[in-house]
Amino acid sequence: MPVHHDPEVMSSVSQKLRTSGREVALVPTMGALHDGHLALVEQAKETESEVIVSIFVNPLQFGAGEDLDRYPRTLDADLEMLREVGVDSVFAPSPVGMYPVGPRTTVAPGPLGTELCGATRPVLFGGMLTVVAKLFQITKPTIAFFGEKDYQQLILIEQMVRDLNFDIRIVGVPTVREPDGLALSSRNRFLTPDERVSAIAIPAALRAGARSGEAGAEAVMRAARAVLDSHEEIRVEYLELRDPDLGPARASGRARLLVAAYVGRTRLIDNLSLTLK
Ligand code: PAF
C-alpha cells in the first residue's frame, strides 16, 4: 500500500490513474481511524474504483484555543488498519506540504458556515472546505465519501461541489454507533469512564426527540431537551431542528435534529433524521 506524503507525487499518481480510465474514490480523514472511517472505506471499495484515503489533521479548520494540539495523531496504527482492510493508496501530507506559503486563497462557506457548529467555531468550515477542495484537486476523485455524523460538513461539501462545479459525486454514509448508541468519533477517546457513561445521553436525547416526531416540532425539542437537562454534567452548545438541507425546519416531513454538547472538556456532535407529522 503506497503512502504518498508529497502532494505533487500524489497528484501525478492520480492523474495517471484518471488518464488510464480508472475511477478514483476518495475517503478524506484526519486519521485516528475507527470503525466509522472503515465504513466509509468499505463503501468506497464497493465502487471498485481505486480507493485513496487521505490522512491530514488540517490546521486551517481549528481556531485559537481549539484542540489542534490535542487532536490524536496515530499514523502508524491508521496505516495498519488500512493495510488490513486493503486500500490502494494513502495520502498523508504534512502541513507545510499542503500550505507551503501558509493559508492564502481559501474557500468561504457562505451563510450556513456561520450557523450551528460555525457559530462557535468560526474558522471550522472555511478551513474544512479549503482542504477538501485541495484534496479533490490533488487526488482527482470521481466520488468521495463523508460521514453523516458531521452532517453540517456533509451539506457544506455538497453545496461547494454544486456551487464551484466540481465533477465529483458526494456520498453521505450513515453514522456508526457503539452498541449503547454513542456515535463513533476520534474525540471519544478523551472521555473519562464517567464522562463516557454521561455521553450516552446525547444519542438518547436525539432518539427521544425522534420518537416525538408525530406530535410536531415543539414536542421533538421538548423531549430531546428533557433528556439533556436531566444531565447537569452535559453542557449543551446547541440543539436544533432543521430541514434535511439545514434550512429552517418545515412543519411536516423529513427533518434533522442536531446537537453539540460538552461532556467535561470534550465537545461531541451528533444528529438524527426524523419525520414530523
Ligand atoms: O471530517 C474530517 O475528518 C475532516 O473535517 C475532513 C473532511 C477530513 C477535512 O479535514
Side-chain angles (χ1 to χ4, degrees):
M1 181 185 72
V3 181
H4 304 292
H5 298 285
D6 184 338
E8 278 183 28
V9 173
M10 183 74 255
S11 180
S12 74
V13 168
S14 31
Q15 183 63 43
K16 278 191 200 115
L17 287 168
R18 292 298 300 269
T19 42
S20 71
R22 286 288 288 156
E23 308 250 307
V24 171
L26 175 67
V27 179
T29 80
M30 296 207 298
L33 301 182
H34 50 63
D35 286 352
H37 297 110
L38 296 188
L40 306 181
V41 170
E42 288 306 334
Q43 284 225 16
K45 287 179 68 167
E46 278 172 25
T47 64
E48 298 190 357
S49 315
E50 199 79 8
V51 176
I52 302 177
V53 176
S54 66
I55 298 178
F56 179 59
V57 182
N58 173 34
L60 232 58
Q61 68 190 74
F62 292 80
E66 291 179 11
D67 59 355
L68 173 63
D69 296 336
R70 197 177 166 230
Y71 200 86
R73 288 159 175 86
T74 57
L75 185 62
D76 291 343
D78 293 344
L79 295 178
E80 201 43 54
M81 277 172 97
L82 294 174
R83 266 185 212 107
E84 248 164 62
V85 292
V87 304
D88 295 295
S89 52
V90 172
F91 176 47
S94 66
V96 76
M98 286 297 270
Y99 303 112
V101 293
R104 191 167 52 189
T105 306
T106 56
V107 178
L112 179 57
T114 63
E115 300 172 19
L116 299 164
C117 290
T120 50
R121 301 190 61 195
V123 303
L124 169 61
F125 292 120
M128 179 280 293
L129 290 179
T130 300
V131 84
V132 169
K134 283 173 70 73
L135 291 169
F136 284 171
Q137 296 291 44
I138 294 165
T139 62
K140 305 171 192 20
T142 39
I143 187 164
F145 295 82
F146 297 87
E148 286 185 357
K149 213 277 257 128
D150 296 300
Y151 192 74
Q152 189 177 9
Q153 164 171 289
L154 172 64
I155 297 297
L156 283 166
I157 290 166
E158 288 174 344
Q159 174 190 290
M160 175 179 77
V161 162
R162 273 196 310 276
D163 291 352
L164 301 185
N165 305 86
F166 282 96
D167 192 11
I168 299 171
R169 189 151 78 84
I170 302 302
V171 179
V173 178
T175 303
V176 180
R177 298 180 180 279
E178 300 279 9
D180 62 12
L182 185 67
L184 296 195
S185 162
S186 305
R187 291 184 168 100
N188 290 351
R189 68 188 69 198
F190 297 139
L191 298 168
T192 64
D194 283 351
E195 289 169 353
R196 173 65 185 76
V197 173
S198 299
I200 302 167
I202 293 173
L206 294 177
R207 286 197 308 272
R211 278 197 302 272
S212 301
E214 300 230 332
E218 278 181 22
V220 168
M221 293 300 285
R222 251 196 324 273
R225 178 61 72 176
V227 175
L228 293 168
D229 284 352
S230 65
H231 289 264
E232 59 183 24
E233 68 284 14
I234 294 183
R235 185 165 62 79
V236 179
E237 186 182 288
Y238 67 75
L239 173 70
E240 287 203 32
L241 188 64
R242 297 274 182 121
D243 86 351
D245 291 334
L246 295 183
R250 287 180 283 265
S252 62
R254 303 301 295 165
R256 203 95 193 178
L257 183 59
L258 304 104
V259 63
Y262 280 90
V263 186
R265 284 178 63 207
T266 304
R267 183 178 179 276
L268 300 176
I269 58 170
D270 200 353
N271 66 86
L272 210 59
S273 167
L274 58 92
T275 306
L276 296 170
K277 287 274 161 59

